[in-house]
Amino acid sequence: MSDRETKWEWITESVEETKELARRLADYLAPGDLLTLEGDLGAGKTSFTQGLAQGLQVRDVVNSPTFTIIKEYQGRIPLYHMDVYRVGEELESLGYEEYFYGDGVTVVEWAGLVEDLLPSERLDIRIEKEGDERRRLIFAPRGARFESICKEIGK
């Protein structure tokens, strides 16, 4: 995230508040949308994705795809949850385009490792720990659509 970009910040005081922010975001998402998640281990990337899944009406249990790389969930819009930490540039061999430009919402954890493969229009989200439960979520929209979504959530 460069300093030139517009950024939106939220502070959450609990895991439930983090999930609620993600549920609100889900209301505005459409097929083909891509979200990136960055943050230290334990920052809340999976919790955020669980809230997003709830907002997309996914009924399955959502957990980290660390060892499976990609998990697919069905909801009102399919959710594709990727963890590229161990894959890096090898993502090309996994048919990532089908996810990035497909019929679902794609969430990519550790997306900085595959920056060159990401669509230019997306929502970059950084989650920073500020205590046991408190989190700072920084949204950096890339493109007018995601800028408008951030404005709606910020109301």
Side-chain angles (χ1 to χ4, degrees), residues 50-95:
Q50 290 168 339
L52 196 70
Q54 291 169 357
L56 293 173
Q57 299 167 359
V58 169
R59 298 197 190 288
D60 295 325
V61 173
V62 173
N63 50 34
S64 178
T66 301
F67 297 104
T68 56
I69 303 165
I70 301 169
K71 290 194 174 181
E72 299 182 19
Y73 302 97
Q74 293 304 311
R76 70 173 173 81
I77 301 171
L79 173 64
Y80 307 125
H81 186 196
M82 299 182 179
D83 182 330
V84 299
Y85 185 77
R86 288 175 176 77
V87 178
E89 292 295 329
E90 295 171 25
L91 186 63
E92 289 184 75
S93 66
L94 298 175

Side-chain angles (χ1 to χ4, degrees), residues 25-44:
L25 172 60
D27 289 341
Y28 298 96
L29 297 178
D33 284 346
L34 179 94
L35 311 177
T36 69
L37 288 179
E38 296 284 348
D40 293 335
L41 291 173

